[in-house]
């Protein structure tokens, strides 16, 4: 059975999940192909996702 953060309402839970997924995805981008991630514009896209998910 999967545990959830019962002290968080569903909206903050989704924001937390999106932020965690974006951070781990950014690490994978840099680990697999840093040049393409930077030059291909993927990093600014990931930063935009983080900016959006961390807004109050």
């Amino acid at each position: 059975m999967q545990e959830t953060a019962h002290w968080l309402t569903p909206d903050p839970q989704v924001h937390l999940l999106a932020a965690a997924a974006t951070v781990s995805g950014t690490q994978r981008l840099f680990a697999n192909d840093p040049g393409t991630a930077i030059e291909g514009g993927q990093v600014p896209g990931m930063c935009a996702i983080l900016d959006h998910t961390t807004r109050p």
Side-chain angles (χ1 to χ4, degrees), residues 26-49:
T26 303
Q27 291 172 344
R28 276 182 288 216
L29 280 175
F30 283 126
N32 293 334
D33 193 359
T36 302
I38 294 168
E39 294 173 3
Q42 295 170 329
V43 175
M46 295 295 224
C47 291
I49 293 170

